[in-house]
Every structure is written in C-alpha cells, then in structure tokens.
C-alpha cells in the first residue's frame, strides 16, 4: 500500500491512526454487529458516540460550559447564512473581508440585513490582514465577522478584533484544532470539518449560550427555516433530524487522536509550527519560488507559492504528482501552487515537498 502526500485544501488527509481505527471498527462497531454508517441515530450506540464526540471536543478545545456545540449539515457555506439569520438582531453586522470566503460570507449576510465591510485587504490582493485595532467598528453591529485563516490566500490573523459588547464570529474552517484556541474570545466559532477534522459533510458551530433565541431584525424566529435555526437544532442536541452520523463518529476519533496520541493542541501547534517553518525557511532561502504574503500574516496551514512562470507552475504540479505529492495546484483566484499542511500532513511530507522543490529549482533555474 502506497499512501500519497495529499496537499489538498480540503477534503484533505486524515491521520493514519484515525483511519485504522475506523477500519478496525467498520464491520462491527463495539459488538453491535453493524457499522456506524448503518446504525440508527437513535440507538444507544450512536447516542454514546455523539455524547463522547462532544465531550472530547470540549476537553480538547477547552469549550466552557456556557457555550453550546452543534453538528450541522450544509458545510461552512451554510453557516454564512445561519449566522446572520440567527444573530443579526440589529439588522447590521461588520465584516472584515480578507479573502474569498469572508467575501462570500458578507454577500450571504447582505441578504438578511446590512453587511458592512468594516475593512478589506483586497487592495493588495489579500496578501495581508488589516490592523484590527485601527478598524472603525459600527457600535450598532450585531457582531463582527472574520475568516481567521484564509485557505485560498494563505494568510492568518495574528490578533483578533475584540470590541466590548459586540460578539466576534469567526470562520475557523482551515485552522481549528491546529493550535490552542481561547473560545471565550468569540461569540460564535464555526468550521467545515473536511479541512482539519473529518470527512466532508458537516459543519460545527460553537455558540455562546446568551446568543441563542434570537433572529435577524425583521425576521421573526419562527420564520427561520427549521434546519437553519441554531436554537431549535441545539435544543434537540443536533438530533432534530438525522445528523451526519459518520462525520460525528470520525470527528470523535480525531478528538481521541488529538487528546491521547498527540497530547493536546499545544503539542499539535508545535508540530505544525515546525512543519510550516521548514517550508517558509526554504521559500525565504532562494528566489526561484515566491510567496506573496506579508510574512507576519503567513498561514501555518495553507502555504502559497509561485514559480517564475505559469507554464513552470503547471509542470511543477504535474511532476510533483508523479512523485506522490498531490494536489499542489493553487486556487484559480491566486494561481501558482498551494501546499495545505493541516494536522494530518506528516513532517516527512513537508520535507519531501521541499526536497522536490529544490530538485525542480535546480533543473529549471
Ligand atoms: C473550505 C472553506 C469554506 C467552505 O466550506 P464548505 O464546507 O465547502 O461550505 C468556508 N470557509 C473556509 C475558511 C474554508 O476553508
């Protein structure tokens, strides 16, 4: 069996011990005589899986008791609508646009009220993050929305907007569980699980309890579609209808892995920082490949780079794939290459990539 190094931005690699555990339990989950894919979501086995997954997530991430965790379908993109529908109580919210996903989130929010663009880094093609302390926030904003790690442009926040009385809402899809997170700084955190947690098919939202029971200005709570109503779904413990059972199970296996095999998020952060350093140190030490991001805002999860020409970029990706380094093509909005090095990318994968880059450079410089 030859496993490849998959640098895809998502769906992406899962740790081998997680896959092996799922494989071992696949045909007969804990003596139930069935797989998790087949069992009733109302069975005691699945109820235990759901409870254990949530409890492990609380421990790993340090989620305080006054926050609720919801497991939803519809991906992170559906959260772009659920956030304003449920939280835009004043009819306006502040959006910081630092890339494609935050732009989409703002566009979706504008369907339900005013999505005010409080700051944007579009002027320099999203290669930096605006100074969050210099932004003038609307005192009437229901919340401030950010995308904390910009998957496509390879940037990340180094400081968070913190305004007294205005909750911070963050899309953390491509960075959650990569490092310790202080949940108390947010009113709501959400993420699609297919980047750094589990297979595609689920989003998780973590919400401060006092933000429940609300709705967008002009939209009575009972007019919110049921499957987009945080309060209804959380009241039913994410079991209002059939939940994404397999994703919840896989998320639980990932939490066990982070807790017991890695030893927590501080350890995970060290591993991730070391991996990113290998790649950025290499990029900084030569001039054939270039990374456009302002160094202070470099993402440790998504590393973008270009070779001297689009033709060479294409050749690079094709040859890399032959060498077992997959999905290095950059997003169409940016071009060039992007290496997504989430939790499950082993250090050896990054070393193999750097060795390949150097070989390619020598052949084409
Ligand atoms: C991938 C991604 C999304 C979109 O996620 P879906 O689950 O496909 O809807 C949104 N935000 C960020 C930051 C992402 O990386």
């Amino acid at each position: 069996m030859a496993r490849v190094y998959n640098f895809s931005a998502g769906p992406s690699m899962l740790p081998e011990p997680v896959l092996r555990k799922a494989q071992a339990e696949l045909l007969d989950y804990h003596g139930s005589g069935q797989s998790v894919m087949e069992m009733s979501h109302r069975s005691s086995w699945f109820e235990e899986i759901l409870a254990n997954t949530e409890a492990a997530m609380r421990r790993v991430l340090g989620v305080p008791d006054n926050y609720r965790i919801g497991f939803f379908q519809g991906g992170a993109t559906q959260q772009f609508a659920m956030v304003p529908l449920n939280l835009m109580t004043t009819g306006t919210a502040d959006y910081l646009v630092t890339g494609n996903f935050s732009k989409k989130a703002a566009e979706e929010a504008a369907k339900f009220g005013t999505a005010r663009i409080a700051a944007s880094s579009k002027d320099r093609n999203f290669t930096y993050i605006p100074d969050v302390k210099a932004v003038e926030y609307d005192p009437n904003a229901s919340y401030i929305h950010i995308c904390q790690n910009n998957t496509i442009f390879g940037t990340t926040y180094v400081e968070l907007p913190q305004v007294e009385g205005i909750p911070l809402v963050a899309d953390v899809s491509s960075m959650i569980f990569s490092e310790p997170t202080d949940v108390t700084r947010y009113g709501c955190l959400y993420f699609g699980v297919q980047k750094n947690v589990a297979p595609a098919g689920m989003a998780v939202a973590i919400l401060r309890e006092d933000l429940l029971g609300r709705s967008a200005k002009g939209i009575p709570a009972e007019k919110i579609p049921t499957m987009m109503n945080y309060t209804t779904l959380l009241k039913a413990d994410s079991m209002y209808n059939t939940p994404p059972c397999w994703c919840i199970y896989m998320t639980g296996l990932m939490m066990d892995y982070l807790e017991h095999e890695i030893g927590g998020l501080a350890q995970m952060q060290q591993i991730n920082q070391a991996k990113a350093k290998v790649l950025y140190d290499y990029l900084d030490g030569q001039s054939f490949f270039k990374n456009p991001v302002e160094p202070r805002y470099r993402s440790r999860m998504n590393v973008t780079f270009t070779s001297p020409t689009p033709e060479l970029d294409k050749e690079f990706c094709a040859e890399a794939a032959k060498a077992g380094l997959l999905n290095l093509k950059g997003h169409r909005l940016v071009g060039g290459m992007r290496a997504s090095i989430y939790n499950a990318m082993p250090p050896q994968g990054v070393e193999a990539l750097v060795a390949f880059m150097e070989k390619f450079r020598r052949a084409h410089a």
Side-chain angles (χ1 to χ4, degrees):
M1 178 198 65
R3 300 253 316 149
V4 294
Y5 293 122
N6 176 12
F7 293 90
S8 168
S12 38
M13 290 182 81
L14 291 167
E16 222 171 282
V18 168
L19 294 173
R20 286 194 190 285
K21 185 84 191 279
Q23 183 182 44
E25 295 180 338
L26 187 66
L27 291 181
D28 179 11
Y29 177 79
H30 292 202
S32 65
Q34 51 191 313
S35 76
V36 175
M37 283 186 240
E38 301 164 294
M39 63 181 48
S40 163
H41 61 294
R42 305 283 176 198
S43 64
S44 56
W45 293 292
F46 187 75
E47 280 182 359
E48 190 180 36
I49 289 170
L50 179 64
N52 287 346
T53 298
E54 179 177 338
M57 189 176 288
R58 281 187 184 278
R59 289 193 302 274
V60 169
L61 200 59
V63 180
D65 287 345
N66 64 324
Y67 284 76
R68 299 293 310 272
I69 301 178
F71 302 100
F72 308 125
Q73 300 190 25
T77 305
Q78 182 156 300
Q79 298 301 308
F80 296 168
M82 284 175 75
V83 164
L85 261 172
N86 289 272
L87 304 180
M88 209 195 255
T89 50
T90 62
T92 184
D94 276 2
Y95 278 74
L96 274 59
V97 174
T98 54
N100 197 45
F101 290 116
S102 47
K103 178 169 166 272
K104 282 186 168 170
E107 284 166 1
E108 197 71 357
K111 295 177 181 172
F112 307 104
T114 304
R116 179 178 167 268
I117 310 302
S120 166
S121 52
K122 189 169 188 282
D123 58 343
R124 277 184 271 143
N125 198 30
F126 302 118
T127 53
Y128 72 103
I129 302 291
D131 177 359
V132 299
K133 288 219 172 84
V135 175
E136 284 182 33
Y137 301 97
D138 177 359
N140 192 38
S142 304
Y143 56 86
I144 298 165
H145 182 281
I146 63 166
C147 175
Q148 197 168 331
N149 183 80
N150 295 283
T151 323
I152 293 173
F153 293 91
T155 59
T156 200
Y157 280 71
V158 292
E159 255 184 308
L160 296 175
Q162 295 285 280
V163 179
E164 184 74 34
I166 307 181
L168 176 64
V169 177
D171 175 356
V172 290
S173 294
S174 51
M175 61 163 301
I176 189 69
F177 301 115
S178 67
E179 59 185 37
T181 296
D182 179 358
V183 174
T184 63
R185 303 185 75 185
Y186 307 83
C188 169
L189 287 159
Y190 67 85
F191 51 95
V193 294
Q194 74 275 24
K195 308 286 162 72
N196 209 15
V197 187
M202 181 168 87
V204 177
I206 303 174
L207 275 123
R208 214 173 60 208
E209 236 161 29
D210 62 283
L211 298 176
L212 294 175
R214 304 176 172 197
S215 62
K217 189 177 180 184
I219 303 175
E222 64 275 15
K223 296 286 185 194
I224 300 177
T226 307
M227 289 310 297
M228 301 189 79
N229 188 322
Y230 284 132
T231 309
T232 305
L233 299 180
L234 287 171
K235 204 182 252 176
D237 289 322
S238 303
M239 293 267 269
Y240 181 87
N241 71 336
T242 318
C245 300
W246 179 253
C247 281
I248 291 170
Y249 164 69
M250 290 297 289
T251 298
L253 294 189
M254 178 63 97
M255 293 304 111
D256 289 346
Y257 169 79
L258 287 171
E259 192 173 18
H260 302 297
E261 298 210 29
I262 297 294
L265 296 185
Q267 278 77 359
M268 196 67 249
Q269 179 178 36
Q270 281 188 4
I271 296 168
N272 286 328
Q273 278 174 346
K275 281 189 305 191
K277 186 172 183 324
V278 168
L279 195 40
Y280 284 120
D281 279 356
Y282 174 74
L283 284 167
D284 289 342
Q286 50 77 60
S287 55
F288 181 83
F289 296 106
K290 290 191 166 39
N291 167 269
V293 172
E294 209 173 293
R296 180 169 147 79
Y297 301 110
R298 285 172 165 174
S299 168
R300 291 169 297 280
M301 296 281 101
N302 311 98
V303 180
T304 58
F305 55 94
T306 52
S307 76
T309 68
E311 291 70 36
L312 279 173
D313 289 346
K314 211 170 159 193
E315 190 179 332
F316 179 92
C317 293
E319 286 187 23
K322 282 188 213 147
L325 309 169
L326 263 62
N327 294 317
L328 283 160
K329 189 171 181 290
H331 192 276
R332 62 195 145 72
L333 291 173
V334 181
M337 277 73 74
R338 169 178 52 175
S340 296
I341 51 172
Y342 300 121
N343 287 354
M345 174 60 67
Q348 296 87 325
V350 177
E351 282 152 23
L353 172 60
V354 165
F356 179 83
M357 288 168 77
E358 179 57 13
K359 204 174 114 192
F360 189 88
R361 186 190 71 83
R362 283 171 185 269
H364 296 92

